[in-house]
């Protein structure tokens, strides 16, 4: 379960990037929007793991869109975002006036309404089921426990959940072990081509290795390297580099 959203009170900007959130005021550049005549807008932040998941899908197919930056202090963007999705989670895609929420659903929407040369959901329903299963694996068993570890680190010491963090680390170890065996002989997470599952895997494994090392699982490390070399994810990583001081556990001198 993702951390509950917090109110954006004037003078108390909230960092709400899916990875973590805090009422501490971070030093962020003012919000910027890439102007475009395209009908689609993406309300997002480049450092958010779930936003990166959608950005990868957009970049894979060179799909044009307008990037609407959400950052503390930008009350206009925050108000637009809340009006579209009162739960105030990101990303939110607006396509011809319709708000589409949840990263996996946004990618499904793109495949239906803005298909490109890279098919991220297989046409065959049996193959698609395997892709969706792996997408759920990365969100539920890599991303979720990673977020628990990160969000707990920014709590006051007296409110930290040591047992919950220990359970999250145990879940990550179990997930890494299972994935290491599953990835032997595979290039991508599900099937022979890059797809939705890999869009989920890229930011999940990227940040998870920062929060709880992948350790000796060589197949997972090799897969993570292939994801980092993928141009769509490499671009998302580079765009997020200015925001690395936001990661409360500190960032390694790599990636």
């Amino acid at each position: 379960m993702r951390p509950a959203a917090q109110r954006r009170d004037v003078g108390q900007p909230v960092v709400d990037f899916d990875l973590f959130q805090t009422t501490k005021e971070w030093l962020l550049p003012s919000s910027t929007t890439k102007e475009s005549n395209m009908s689609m807008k993406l309300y997002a932040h480049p450092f958010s793991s779930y936003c990166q998941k959608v950005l990868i899908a957009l970049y894979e197919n060179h799909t044009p869109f307008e990037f609407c930056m959400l950052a503390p202090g930008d009350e206009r963007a925050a108000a637009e975002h809340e009006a579209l999705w009162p739960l105030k989670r990101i990303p939110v895609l607006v396509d011809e006036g319709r708000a589409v929420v949840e990263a996996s659903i946004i990618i499904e929407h793109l495949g239906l309404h803005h298909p490109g040369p890279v098919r991220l959901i297989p046409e065959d329903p049996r193959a698609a089921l395997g892709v969706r299963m792996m997408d759920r694996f990365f969100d539920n068993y890599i991303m979720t426990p990673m977020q628990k570890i990160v969000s707990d680190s920014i709590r006051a010491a007296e409110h930290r959940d040591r047992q919950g963090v220990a359970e999250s680390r145990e879940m990550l170890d179990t997930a890494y072990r299972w994935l290491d065996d599953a990835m032997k002989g595979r290039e991508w997470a599900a099937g022979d081509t890059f797809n939705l599952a890999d869009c989920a895997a890229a930011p999940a494994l990227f940040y998870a290795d920062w929060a709880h090392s992948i350790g000796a699982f060589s197949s997972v490390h090799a897969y993570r390297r292939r994801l980092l070399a993928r141009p769509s994810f490499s671009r998302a990583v580079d765009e997020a580099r200015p925001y690395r001081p936001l990661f409360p556990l500190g960032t390694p001198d790599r990636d």
Side-chain angles (χ1 to χ4, degrees):
M1 182 178 295
R2 296 174 181 172
Q6 300 180 24
R7 290 175 54 235
R8 285 187 172 88
D9 295 325
V10 175
Q12 293 184 341
V14 174
V15 176
D16 185 5
F17 302 158
D18 280 311
L19 261 175
F20 57 87
Q21 59 188 98
T22 174
T23 52
K24 180 176 179 180
E25 183 172 5
W26 296 93
L27 295 176
L28 279 174
S30 59
S31 174
T32 57
T33 300
K34 296 176 183 177
E35 295 298 336
S36 167
N37 293 322
M38 298 301 111
S39 62
M40 285 198 298
K41 292 183 178 182
L42 184 70
Y43 287 81
H45 191 281
F47 198 61
S48 161
S49 51
Y50 283 107
C51 293
Q52 288 182 5
K53 179 176 173 178
V54 171
L55 287 169
I56 293 165
L58 289 163
Y59 295 159
E60 280 290 321
N61 282 307
H62 305 283
T63 306
F65 68 100
E66 181 180 337
F67 188 92
C68 298
M69 178 82 159
L70 290 169
D74 191 329
E75 297 175 20
R76 179 193 58 78
E80 289 179 6
H81 177 225
E82 184 175 1
L84 291 165
W85 187 226
L87 292 178
K88 296 187 285 189
R89 310 308 295 170
I90 54 177
V92 173
L93 182 77
V94 179
D95 188 3
E96 296 185 350
R98 176 189 175 189
V100 186
V101 301
E102 294 298 313
S104 295
I105 301 303
I106 291 172
I107 295 172
E108 296 254 13
H109 173 91
L110 292 171
L112 288 171
H113 299 281
H114 303 275
V118 180
R119 181 182 286 274
L120 296 173
I121 310 290
E123 189 172 7
D124 177 73
R126 292 178 179 83
L129 194 63
V131 168
R132 292 186 177 102
M133 188 283 288
M134 290 300 291
D135 172 66
R136 295 296 79 224
F137 168 80
F138 288 112
D139 279 5
N140 292 331
Y141 305 117
I142 301 289
M143 195 91 78
T144 296
M146 176 273 294
Q147 289 182 332
K148 170 68 176 180
I149 294 168
V150 174
S151 62
D152 190 77
S153 73
I154 60 177
R155 291 176 174 173
E158 63 270 22
H159 297 305
R160 290 187 178 171
D161 180 7
R162 289 189 297 176
Q163 180 177 340
V165 168
E167 290 170 351
S168 293
R169 293 187 183 280
E170 184 178 357
M171 179 177 287
L172 280 171
D173 283 336
T174 301
Y176 291 158
R177 185 177 302 108
W178 180 87
L179 183 62
D180 194 64
D181 186 62
M183 289 305 300
K184 289 175 181 175
R186 292 188 193 179
E187 182 177 9
W188 304 114
D192 297 328
T193 60
F194 188 96
N195 55 49
L196 167 67
D198 304 295
C199 294
L205 290 172
F206 180 76
Y207 287 116
D209 191 42
W210 287 6
H212 183 75
S213 174
I214 291 170
F217 297 111
S218 59
S219 294
V220 181
H221 277 296
Y223 176 47
R224 186 177 183 272
R225 287 194 295 271
R226 288 194 295 277
L227 291 167
L228 280 164
R230 187 80 178 186
S232 58
F233 185 47
S234 177
R235 176 178 173 181
V237 168
D238 285 342
E239 290 173 345
R241 286 186 190 279
Y243 305 99
R244 290 193 178 193
L246 291 171
F247 199 73
L249 297 175
T251 56
D253 186 21
R254 55 179 169 83
D255 297 329

